[in-house]
Amino acid sequence: MLSIPEIQAKIKAALPLGRVVPRHNEHGHFYEVIDGNDAIPPVYPSVTGKLAILKDESLINYKQNKALEYMFAHYSEFTDANIMEHIEIAKAVPQQNLIQASDVGTEIHDIRQLIFEKWMKDGIKPADFVALIPPGQDDIRIVSAIRALQKFVEDHDYTPIACELFVYSHKLKVAGTLDDLGMMRQVIRKPGQECDHQLLNGSGEKESAIIKSRNGKCTCMVCDYQYKYEFVLLDLKSSNALKDHYFQQVALYWKMFSALVGIKPERCIILQVSKEKGTYKIEDLKRPGKIAQYASYMMKVDEGIQFIKSLRRNNQKEIITL
Ligand SMILES: [Zn+2]
């Protein structure tokens, strides 16, 4: 396995600054790919937008429940004169709640970027992540999520390699921003009880050498405890439920990154941080290649729908001009 600086050099060579430029507008998130292969650089929609064709039933139920909650709480105030107004408010309530939840999610994302970028710049892991939360943003939900992030980092000896990296695919005609790439420790065989481990790597070097380079495999000569460092693609989520399309999104980032940089992250995980308990869960994608393959069909389905729309748009124009 390549070392952290080697992976960083390969990323920089394949995806130099300015290669992908975000072009977000009122129609959504887009990315311009300037790699010199086209006279006019292509502009691709984001993976997230493309996967939106997957209707999310839990979201629909959520909206309905929130609207009904509002109706129950306020029905005694309803009159013939104001009922339409109340219905309008009831319709808007779920959207407002969703926006608030996604705002917290965005802030959590931004703060973890701040922490990881400082870490990569200084070359030193910040001792207290929570202390780096900007003043005024210390909402209890954010503090919980950042505590969870630090717990994950300590438990798995995670080291960031890249953060908020733009990736794209000419073949799928999509782009996106992957959250994180890093090196993390994966236990292969559990440690024996009360063992004063004598950990060595394949070349007989001591554990300290392996931890310093965060590369390779380490085995205890006494109890057979074994762990290794793995190059991992990580997506941070602070929502309570993981939707199926998250898996497709992350798998596509994995596939696009692997194709562009020529290194396959060994693991692909969703790190789900709690906004209440300061805890985290790891959801392993297990087979990102297979999931990405299915997700690429989703991209094709969407392309087909857009094709119909474009044909119909032209139809309408012709009718109007006649
Ligand atoms: Zn041992």
Side-chain angles (χ1 to χ4, degrees):
M1 191 64 222
L2 299 168
S3 69
I4 293 175
E6 283 167 343
I7 297 171
Q8 282 169 332
K10 272 186 167 274
I11 294 171
K12 212 176 164 188
L15 295 165
L17 212 64
R19 167 63 49 88
V20 184
V21 183
R23 302 261 181 243
H24 303 331
N25 61 31
E26 69 272 22
H27 301 294
H29 285 202
F30 297 89
Y31 299 83
E32 186 175 354
V33 178
I34 308 164
D35 60 5
N37 289 334
D38 303 87
I40 301 161
V43 177
Y44 295 139
S46 76
V47 167
T48 0
K50 283 274 167 184
L51 288 170
I53 48 164
L54 254 189
K55 287 275 176 288
D56 197 325
E57 277 182 52
S58 65
L59 212 60
I60 297 163
N61 288 335
Y62 169 86
K63 287 188 180 184
Q64 193 176 314
N65 291 342
K66 286 290 167 198
L68 286 174
E69 265 172 34
Y70 177 87
M71 300 296 270
F72 271 117
H74 296 272
Y75 78 95
S76 62
E77 301 158 31
F78 291 5
T79 64
D80 283 351
N82 70 19
I83 188 157
M84 291 317 287
E85 232 171 276
H86 278 293
I87 289 173
E88 282 310 309
I89 298 170
K91 274 200 243 170
V93 168
Q95 205 53 43
Q96 283 164 0
N97 281 337
L98 279 178
I99 289 167
Q100 280 166 15
S102 82
D103 276 351
V104 170
T106 306
E107 285 188 40
I108 292 166
H109 249 87
D110 291 350
I111 296 165
R112 84 93 183 55
Q113 184 182 359
L114 199 99
I115 294 166
F116 284 169
E117 279 177 354
K118 179 178 164 50
W119 180 353
M120 286 187 282
K121 191 173 128 267
D122 299 348
I124 304 158
K125 178 169 76 181
D128 182 5
F129 286 11
V130 171
L132 293 173
I133 297 174
Q137 282 180 275
D138 46 358
D139 179 293
I140 47 164
R141 290 166 295 179
I142 294 174
V143 172
S144 163
I146 298 302
R147 266 177 50 212
L149 179 71
Q150 179 148 22
K151 191 165 188 330
F152 161 77
V153 163
E154 308 290 351
D155 288 351
H156 297 273
D157 193 18
Y158 177 85
T159 306
I161 290 176
C163 196
E164 295 290 304
L165 190 69
F166 300 137
V167 288
Y168 60 90
S169 163
H170 287 312
K171 202 171 138 202
L172 295 172
K173 299 188 176 66
V174 286
T177 313
L178 71 78
D179 276 357
D180 290 285
L181 292 159
M183 202 63 93
M184 75 183 250
R185 192 189 280 194
Q186 170 78 347
V187 173
I188 301 165
R189 282 196 297 271
K190 285 191 178 145
Q193 284 176 344
E194 294 175 32
C195 176
D196 293 323
H197 305 303
Q198 289 179 37
L199 289 148
L200 298 175
N201 71 3
S203 338
E205 288 173 305
K206 290 238 171 72
E207 190 187 19
S208 55
I210 299 146
I211 291 178
K212 196 163 171 250
S213 66
R214 286 189 171 73
N215 199 356
K217 199 183 279 182
C218 205
T219 315
C220 173
M221 296 297 117
V222 184
C223 73
D224 223 21
Y225 166 43
Q226 194 176 57
Y227 68 74
K228 68 168 179 172
Y229 283 95
E230 280 183 333
F231 178 40
V232 59
L233 188 152
L234 186 153
D235 198 79
L236 183 71
K237 293 282 182 217
S238 56
S239 49
N240 294 324
L242 296 182
K243 310 289 191 297
D244 294 331
H245 65 83
Y246 290 173
F247 291 77
Q248 296 185 312
Q249 181 195 336
V250 180
L252 281 173
Y253 292 151
W254 178 87
K255 188 179 178 161
M256 291 194 277
F257 175 85
S258 304
L260 289 164
V261 182
I263 327 166
K264 265 188 194 167
E266 291 157 277
R267 282 181 95 201
C268 196
I269 61 170
I270 296 174
L271 177 65
Q272 190 182 18
V273 289
S274 163
K275 285 180 287 196
E276 289 99 37
K277 293 177 283 184
T279 54
Y280 69 88
K281 276 190 225 157
I282 292 174
E283 185 92 24
D284 198 315
L285 264 68
K286 294 192 183 106
R287 298 191 58 194
K290 190 75 184 165
I291 299 172
Q293 197 186 339
Y294 281 119
S296 66
Y297 303 149
M298 299 288 299
M299 305 287 107
K300 282 288 159 194
V301 170
D302 185 79
E303 201 181 301
I305 293 169
Q306 297 309 323
F307 181 61
I308 295 170
K309 283 193 200 299
S310 75
L311 292 177
R312 294 196 63 196
R313 234 188 337 265
N314 293 339
N315 270 345
Q316 302 252 333
K317 266 182 204 152
E318 276 167 41
I319 291 163
I320 292 162
T321 47
L322 282 171

